[in-house]
Structure formats: C-alpha cells, structure tokens
C-alpha cells in the first residue's frame, strides 16, 4: 500500500535538485529545498524562475500558475526544516560518504515512516541504504537532465527497499506527470547500462578510424532512428561523465566488455569534455 505524500524535501539546489523541486512544485507539492549556502539556493531559484518564465512565454503555463508554483518552494540552509516531509529527495554531489552522512542526519530528525530517495547516477543504492537505521525506507529516484523535459524516472529498488516505499515512489512520479519504471539496484541501472556502452562503442569506431564523428552520428540517426547521434550526445552529457559511468560499469562488473575507449580517456585528459568546454567530438561556439 502506498503512503500519502503531502510535503517533499529536496537536498541540493544544483542542476538536478532545482529541476526536481520545480516539477514537484508545479504538480502542487509544497517543497522545502535545502542547500549549504544562501547563494546556492538563490542560484537554484533563479534557474527555476527562468524555466517557469519560458513555459509562460510558450503559453504552456499561466503566469498565476508560475507564481503559485514558485510560492510553494521554500529554500533553506537548515536541514531540520525537512523534518516534517514524507519524502526527501537527495541530489547532492556524487560521493558515497557525503550521501551516507546525509542519510544519517535525516535518520536523526525525520519520522520512521519518511522515505529517503537518492538521485545517484552510479553509486549502489543498496550501499547508501545501509547507512540508514531503517534501510527499507531508502530508494533510488534517478531523474534525467534536464529534469523538467525528460519523461522517465528510474525507480531503483535496493536490496532492502520495501514494497510500500517502491509503490509510493512510483505513484508520486506518476502524480507529477512523468513515467516511472522500477529496476533492481545494479551498476548503471538500466538506462546508463545500455546507453553509455553504446556511446563508448561509437567512440571506439572513431578511434579505429572507421568513419568520421559526423558520419557515425548520421549513420545512427538514419540507420537506427536515434533522435541524436551518440557522439553529439556524449558531448552533451560531458565526456568526463561518460568516462565515470564506464569506469563504474567496468570496475563494478569486472567485465572487459565495459572497458572505456582509449580515445575517451585521451579526450578527457586533453580537457575536450564536450559542450561545456566548447570542444568534444564537435566544436561549440562560446555561450
Ligand atoms: N547532472 C546530471 O546530468 C545528472 C543526471 C542524473 C543524476 N545525477 C546525480 O544527481 C546528483 C546531483 O548532481 P548535480 O548535477 O545536480 O550536481 P550539482 O553539483 O549541480 O549540485 C549539487 C548541489 O548539492 C549541494 N550540496 C552538497 N552537499 C550538500 C548537503 N550536505 N546538503 C545540501 N546541499 C548540498 C551543492 O552545494 C550543490 O548545489 C549526483 O548524485 C549526480 O550523480 C546527475
């Protein structure tokens, strides 16, 4: 049986946290968003406001709806303000020890029924859950970037996650208009497990000189019906992030099929990280 969610906490007001706060507030949930410094919260609120403004200018949202949604988000630097929330979504840096310490801090202030969701993209949710005194309340909610645009949330079931927690999170995701699919905890979950090795293989094709980056992307768009070529997608994600995920798969499964491409490593060493650096497999004019 799923539990009723009335108020949501979000920890981290960065790229993912502010997007998560935005979609929850837009769906009518009061959101308390916590970051470490007021300037980080201000930056998150500016991003959310701009995103809502774009929706208003495209007539996808009424100005009153934007104002109401913004008023539902309460930024704070105080963790204790998350104590009344039924669910807290953590979107802080990708570091196991930091995430585990947040779980321990939440354990100390939240009710025994509260659910703790982590937006980790590569750390074992089972290992994060082990930090809680009630491990069954911990679950993965893997959102995709940009959060307001992307339809899927992978719900990651740790070894310890209870049925009720899983059902509640799936119902929550559906309530804010996204699609939830449940997946057992494993390296890369499902989307990255499939997507990132495909990108890595496209990079190996460049490395072996099979075709130019442009031609490889055209082949995958026209021959496999992908909306975007794998190399342009690698540049968008960031080649350092692609390498991190490949390393997680390679080390986690201890399987040579996940070996990161030597060219991917070289590009990272050279600082050609994709769009954010103006150069990856393609070049990008300064923003
Ligand atoms: N960026 C992506 O494309 C993406 C996609 C899916 C999942 N993720 C995952 O989401 C998480 C967040 O990534 P991001 O890109 O938003 O990072 P980010 O660096 O943009 O934001 C992280 C924020 O967390 C804050 N923070 C750190 N420790 C904190 C604490 N104890 N309490 C409150 N706030 C704290 C930081 O000040 C920062 O504002 C990571 O686990 C990442 O792996 C990222």
């Amino acid at each position: 049986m799923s539990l009723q969610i009335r108020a949501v906490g979000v920890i981290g007001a960065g790229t993912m946290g502010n997007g998560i706060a935005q979609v929850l507030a837009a769906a009518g949930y009061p959101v308390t968003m916590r970051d470490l410094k007021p300037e980080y919260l201000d930056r998150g609120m500016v991003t959310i406001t701009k995103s809502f403004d774009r929706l208003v200018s495209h007539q996808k949202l009424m100005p009153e709806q934007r104002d109401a949604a913004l008023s539902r988000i309460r930024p704070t630097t105080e963790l204790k303000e998350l104590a009344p929330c039924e669910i807290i979504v953590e979107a802080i840096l990708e570091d196991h020890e930091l995430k585990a310490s947040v779980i321990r801090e939440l354990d100390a202030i939240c009710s025994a029924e509260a659910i703790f969701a982590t937006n980790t993209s590569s750390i074992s949710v089972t290992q994060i859950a082990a930090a809680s005194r009630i491990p069954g309340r911990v679950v993965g909610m893997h959102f995709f970037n940009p959060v307001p645009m992307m339809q899927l949330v992978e719900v990651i079931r740790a070894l310890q996650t209870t049925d009720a927690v899983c059902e509640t999170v799936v119902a929550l995701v559906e309530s804010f208009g996204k699609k939830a699919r449940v997946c057992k905890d494993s390296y890369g979950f499902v989307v990255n497990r499939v997507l990132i090795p495909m990108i890595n293989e496209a990079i190996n094709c460049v490395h072996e000189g099979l075709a130019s980056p442009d031609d490889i992307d055209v082949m995958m768009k026209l021959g496999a019906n992908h909306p975007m070529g794998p190399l342009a997608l690698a540049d968008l994600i960031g080649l350092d992030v692609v390498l991190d995920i490949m390393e997680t798969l390679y080390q986690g499964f201890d399987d040579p099929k996940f070996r990161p491409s030597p060219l991917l490593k070289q590009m990272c060493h050279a600082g050609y990280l994709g769009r954010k650096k103006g150069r990856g497999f393609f070049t990008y004019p300064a923003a």
Side-chain angles (χ1 to χ4, degrees):
M1 204 195 66
S2 67
L3 314 169
Q4 202 195 346
I5 303 291
R6 287 175 294 266
V8 183
V10 174
I11 307 189
T15 309
M16 299 305 286
N18 72 55
I20 295 166
Q22 180 186 333
V23 298
L24 285 159
Y29 292 98
V31 179
T32 306
M33 181 171 74
R34 192 251 177 162
D35 208 309
L36 299 174
K37 293 188 179 173
E39 53 266 40
Y40 302 157
L41 291 161
D42 291 346
R43 206 166 50 201
M45 289 306 292
V46 166
T47 306
I48 295 171
T49 306
K50 279 190 188 154
S51 177
F52 275 138
D53 285 346
R54 262 194 310 275
L55 292 172
V56 170
S57 71
H58 292 126
Q59 295 175 345
K60 290 185 176 158
L61 199 70
M62 303 293 286
E64 313 80 79
Q65 291 173 307
R66 169 198 57 200
D67 298 344
L70 280 170
S71 73
R72 282 192 281 271
I73 305 176
R74 200 156 54 92
T76 181
T77 53
E78 298 293 330
L79 193 75
K80 65 176 185 295
E81 295 202 17
L82 303 181
C85 299
E86 283 86 22
I87 181 165
I88 292 152
V89 185
E90 166 275 303
I92 67 165
L93 309 182
E94 189 72 347
D95 177 295
H96 171 255
E97 201 28 61
L98 282 180
K99 288 184 189 290
S101 72
V102 163
I103 294 281
R104 286 190 288 268
E105 286 180 282
L106 290 174
D107 262 347
I109 59 166
C110 294
S111 79
E113 290 74 38
I115 296 173
F116 302 159
T118 172
N119 185 46
T120 180
S121 39
S122 62
I123 299 170
S124 156
V125 181
T126 301
Q127 203 182 353
I128 295 173
S132 173
R133 70 188 164 89
I134 310 173
R137 63 157 96 199
V138 179
V139 63
M141 269 179 102
H142 187 210
F143 288 81
F144 293 81
N145 186 20
V147 178
M149 304 275 298
M150 301 297 280
Q151 282 304 298
L152 178 72
V153 179
E154 271 181 314
V155 176
I156 315 300
R157 189 177 185 134
L159 206 56
Q160 309 95 320
T161 311
T162 65
D163 289 345
V165 165
C166 235
E167 283 163 26
T168 302
V169 169
V170 168
L172 174 68
V173 170
E174 305 282 337
S175 79
F176 55 73
K178 295 202 185 289
K179 298 285 178 215
R181 286 295 177 272
V182 180
C183 153
K184 285 188 199 163
D185 186 26
S186 177
Y187 304 105
F189 316 132
V190 167
V191 173
N192 284 339
R193 165 100 171 256
V194 175
L195 176 69
I196 302 296
M198 186 210 53
I199 290 174
N200 189 57
E201 209 47 36
I203 299 171
N204 276 330
C205 292
V206 180
H207 186 53
E208 291 169 26
L210 301 191
S212 69
D214 195 41
D215 280 349
I216 290 168
D217 272 13
V218 169
M219 287 171 184
M220 292 305 290
K221 283 194 280 185
L222 302 186
N225 220 10
H226 287 194
M228 188 177 195
L231 299 166
L233 183 55
D235 281 357
L236 183 66
I237 294 171
L239 299 190
D240 50 340
V241 177
V242 173
L243 179 58
D244 272 354
I245 299 172
M246 281 311 294
E247 298 278 16
T248 299
L249 294 171
Y250 187 42
Q251 286 158 21
F253 290 111
D254 195 17
D255 185 334
K257 79 176 178 188
F258 295 116
R259 189 170 68 96
S261 166
L263 178 59
L264 173 61
K265 286 184 170 174
Q266 267 183 331
M267 303 261 306
C268 288
H269 292 156
Y272 302 155
L273 302 182
R275 271 178 192 261
K276 61 188 166 193
K277 293 287 179 188
R279 178 171 175 176
F281 289 98
F282 303 98
T283 52
Y284 304 88

